[in-house]
Amino acid sequence: MIPSAESSSERHAGRPAANLNRPMIAILDFGSQYSELIARRIRETHVYSEVLSYRTTAEQLRHLQPKGIILSGGPSSVYDPHAPSCDPELWNLGIPVLGVCYGMQLMVQQLGGRVESTGAGEYGRAPLFIDDPTDLLTSVENGGIMWMSHGDSAVALPEGFSILAHTEVTSCAAIAHPQRKLYGVQFHPEVVHSQGGMALVRNFVYHICGCEPTWTTEAFVEEAIREVRAKVGDKRVLLALSGGVDSSTLAFLLHRAVGDRLTCIFIDQGFMRKQEPERLVKLFQEQFHIPVQYVQARERFLAAIEGVSDPEDKRKRIGHEFIRVFEAESRRLGPFDYLAQGTLYPDVIESADTNIDPQTGERVAVKIKSHHNVGGLPKDLQFKLIEPLRRLFKDEVRQVGRSLGLPEEIVQRQPFPGPGLAIRILGEVTPERLEILRDADLIVRQEINRHGLYNQLWQSFAVLLPIRSVGVMGDKRTYAYPIVLRFVTSEDGMTADWARVPYDILELIANRIVNEVPGVNRVVYDVTSKPPGTIEWE
């Protein structure tokens, strides 16, 4: 079985999957930037995984019934007074555990070993020399490169543990207590730089945890349709359609599940890219035969954020206005009981700390930032929310979209934020700035497509800064806006790197923007990765 849709109107990040008859790997997050990447790697083996707080108790894990547990890395040292720790009863559950970096050191410390700062940290690529090739390291190449990132090391192992592998710097690079099915690695098998990392992951998931590969696209679609029909019954569903892969996939899924009880509404809030609203409505109505109600509300949204510069305030106001427009349209077209949203798993993770309530067993959301799908919802929300995609990563949504028959034009569409260009204009949003950014963004899209780079980039877009700089055009002094080009590569948006686009293409885009877009006299290129930056500027 595949995870069910859950309502975020209950203000938590989803319910435990305790009673679902499918294998699951639980990942306890100790603050690693790679925790979500571990989850993705597990899912690549067609086994479901979820990221939980390190505060999750052994009793709560027993209730979840995972087939295996992974302890993530983290920035702390296990011997620090306030370092995050896990429930010591976790080791007695009889469930296989894999500790990764900090997770391995925590395992060593809690079970009676010793971890110290040896003064010989190890970072980046390092050959792994295998001492015991069985079990966890089956099919992992001896001398293969693994990605290291640690300043502390295990200097004494707990009773019953043995060394599986070492490096030139670290004597305990992989350890095991096979009888108790407890394993640890001092490297990151989940990152792409680790050769044989996926072989190790598969060994843990399949051979040690005994999971079966049941997390598939076809199974998800079938289960999601059943869940939607069971939840919605004979009620009607309202969907906010944006034209992106998330909402489009959701539209196809819901249309298959409830048919004409689905009503799609496209709210033209005035923050879309040039020519997109018209194309979207025509595509769905004429090619996909899914009726779309078009609502022109540009003036209303501009008025809602007039004079607002704070990005969090902008997001909340736009989100609030969306809901209010939906409510007004539902009264006109309804009644509707459900509002569907294309919330994804990274949205949930970035918007909430996945902590579990000890009384209810539910993961409660502690907000750390508002996301455009899960943040800014008013307390007097008039709809029940339905979010069938909330347990999927972006690449999984693309696979679901293909299986439902979406064309590649939509499946491969780059992510576009819910607040649209309003958060790609830093500071106050004005009609003049919107028009400038639309024109610059169109040039970016034209050239990225023309040079065959669109599908190679996770996102490629323009940002307008609310400052002016001096320039010279036609022997005259100018005082105009700068445009920032933001092109990144990524697997899922959780981490990203700036794209090494050829200079001649960047030069062509910059020249076109400066020459063709009035009000711009300077173009710069953002070379910041995520982390420390984010992909969007707001």
Side-chain angles (χ1 to χ4, degrees):
M1 293 178 69
I2 301 299
S4 62
E6 297 290 349
S7 169
S8 67
S9 63
E10 297 171 332
R11 302 298 186 205
H12 59 77
R15 298 178 184 273
N19 298 318
L20 295 182
N21 184 26
R22 55 170 169 77
M24 193 267 274
I25 302 294
I27 300 162
L28 301 193
D29 181 17
F30 290 88
S32 172
Q33 63 176 311
Y34 298 129
S35 295
E36 291 77 23
L37 184 55
I38 296 174
R40 288 193 70 255
R41 293 294 181 247
I42 299 298
R43 293 189 186 192
E44 286 175 13
T45 69
H46 300 298
V47 173
Y48 184 65
S49 63
E50 280 197 26
V51 179
L52 307 176
S53 168
Y54 69 87
R55 300 182 185 93
T56 306
T57 67
E59 183 58 34
Q60 290 161 348
L61 285 167
R62 185 178 289 111
H63 179 69
L64 288 171
Q65 297 179 344
K67 300 282 284 185
I69 300 169
I70 296 179
L71 310 184
S72 82
S76 304
S77 292
V78 294
Y79 47 77
D80 289 342
H82 302 292
S85 186
C86 64
D87 185 344
E89 285 301 310
L90 178 148
W91 315 113
N92 300 320
L93 291 174
I95 299 173
V97 180
L98 172 63
V100 177
C101 289
Y102 181 88
M104 168 182 152
Q105 294 170 7
L106 185 64
M107 179 186 295
V108 169
Q109 183 201 53
Q110 286 199 348
L111 293 176
R114 195 167 75 253
V115 176
E116 295 179 357
S117 175
T118 61
E122 195 173 22
Y123 302 94
R125 296 172 173 84
L128 183 74
F129 302 107
I130 298 175
D131 302 296
D132 183 352
T134 61
D135 212 353
L136 185 68
L137 299 182
T138 301
S139 300
V140 176
E141 180 183 358
N142 186 33
I145 298 299
M146 291 295 180
W147 187 259
M148 297 285 182
S149 182
H150 67 101
D152 299 333
S153 294
V155 295
L157 295 182
E159 183 179 353
F161 277 79
S162 59
I163 295 175
L164 301 183
H166 66 279
T167 69
E168 293 178 352
V169 174
T170 304
S171 60
C172 302
I175 62 174
H177 191 311
Q179 290 76 26
R180 298 180 66 182
K181 294 191 174 182
L182 302 179
Y183 300 85
V185 294
Q186 192 56 76
F187 49 88
H188 288 278
E190 70 274 16
V191 303
V192 69
H193 309 291
S194 289
Q195 300 171 358
M198 278 304 296
L200 186 151
V201 169
R202 284 190 292 268
N203 289 336
F204 181 72
V205 171
Y206 293 146
H207 306 310
I208 295 172
C209 298
C211 293
E212 295 292 333
T214 59
W215 177 254
T216 64
T217 300
E218 295 74 15
F220 171 80
V221 170
E222 181 181 332
E223 180 66 18
I225 289 174
R226 283 201 302 267
E227 292 285 346
V228 168
R229 287 173 177 168
K231 185 170 187 176
V232 171
D234 60 354
K235 306 299 183 182
R236 298 179 66 199
V237 181
L238 181 64
L239 169 63
L241 187 65
S242 70
V245 63
D246 303 338
S247 68
S248 298
T249 297
L250 185 54
F252 272 56
L253 180 68
L254 292 173
H255 192 254
R256 182 174 295 185
V258 301
D260 59 7
R261 281 180 285 120
L262 169 68
T263 298
C264 295
I265 297 180
F266 172 68
I267 306 294
D268 186 355
Q269 87 286 52
F271 307 137
M272 296 291 286
R273 293 176 288 203
K274 201 160 192 171
Q275 302 170 354
E276 278 197 330
E278 301 81 5
R279 173 162 178 74
L280 169 66
V281 174
K282 183 177 181 181
L283 192 65
F284 267 78
Q285 293 191 157
E286 295 184 7
Q287 184 171 330
F288 304 151
H289 306 293
I290 299 177
V292 177
Q293 297 288 330
Y294 173 81
V295 179
Q296 205 281 76
R298 297 179 183 182
E299 294 77 14
R300 179 171 175 170
F301 279 87
L302 268 175
I305 62 171
E306 183 177 2
V308 176
S309 296
D310 180 74
E312 190 75 356
D313 194 10
K314 270 197 263 186
R315 286 178 177 270
K316 288 182 177 179
R317 286 171 180 250
I318 292 171
H320 181 276
E321 204 62 30
F322 258 112
I323 296 297
R324 291 297 173 239
V325 172
F326 289 153
E327 289 177 335
E329 291 302 313
S330 73
R331 287 191 291 271
R332 180 175 70 88
L333 301 168
F336 296 96
D337 293 271
Y338 290 94
L339 170 64
Q341 286 199 141
T343 307
L344 304 189
Y345 196 42
D347 304 339
V348 175
I349 293 172
E350 288 193 0
S351 300
D353 172 23
T354 49
N355 190 22
I356 293 186
D357 186 287
Q359 302 299 320
T360 65
E362 295 180 357
R363 286 189 297 283
V364 294
V366 181
K367 186 181 75 67
I368 56 176
K369 83 170 204 179
S370 292
H371 187 272
H372 68 268
N373 276 334
V374 296
L377 298 178
K379 294 180 180 179
D380 59 340
L381 182 68
Q382 298 301 307
F383 305 100
K384 298 175 184 177
L385 294 185
I386 183 168
E387 299 169 304
L389 308 181
R390 68 181 286 110
R391 294 186 184 274
L392 300 185
F393 287 100
K394 177 71 75 171
D395 58 334
E396 294 173 321
V397 174
R398 295 189 197 280
Q399 294 170 17
V400 169
R402 287 191 181 95
S403 72
L404 291 170
L406 262 72
E408 285 299 305
E409 173 187 356
I410 291 181
V411 170
Q412 290 296 338
R413 186 176 187 261
Q414 294 179 359
F416 187 69
L421 299 182
I423 61 166
R424 291 180 177 173
I425 296 173
L426 272 63
E428 183 181 1
V429 178
T430 66
E432 176 206 16
R433 291 176 177 179
L434 277 168
E435 194 59 30
I436 290 172
L437 185 56
R438 279 198 188 93
D439 289 342
D441 178 84
L442 180 61
I443 291 172
V444 168
R445 286 187 288 142
Q446 287 174 340
E447 294 302 333
I448 289 299
N449 276 293
R450 185 174 298 150
H451 289 86
L453 296 177
Y454 187 84
N455 291 340
Q456 299 178 31
L457 300 173
W458 176 261
Q459 281 178 262
S460 51
F461 57 89
V463 176
L464 186 144
L465 301 184
I467 58 175
R468 297 175 190 263
S469 66
V470 174
V472 178
M473 300 175 71
D475 294 327
K476 293 182 180 180
R477 176 184 181 275
T478 62
Y479 195 54
Y481 291 110
I483 288 289
V484 179
L485 302 180
R486 181 64 162 151
F487 303 162
V488 299
T489 58
S490 178
E491 289 189 352
D492 55 19
M494 302 302 297
T495 60
D497 193 13
W498 63 278
R500 275 64 170 177
V501 175
Y503 290 157
D504 57 342
I505 297 176
L506 293 177
E507 180 183 29
L508 174 61
I509 293 172
N511 285 339
R512 282 197 60 193
I513 290 175
V514 170
N515 289 326
E516 299 175 28
V517 182
V520 176
N521 66 355
R522 190 179 299 273
V523 176
V524 298
Y525 193 52
D526 183 350
V527 293
T528 311
S529 63
K530 176 188 178 181
T534 55
I535 297 177
E536 299 288 348
W537 273 51
E538 285 195 343

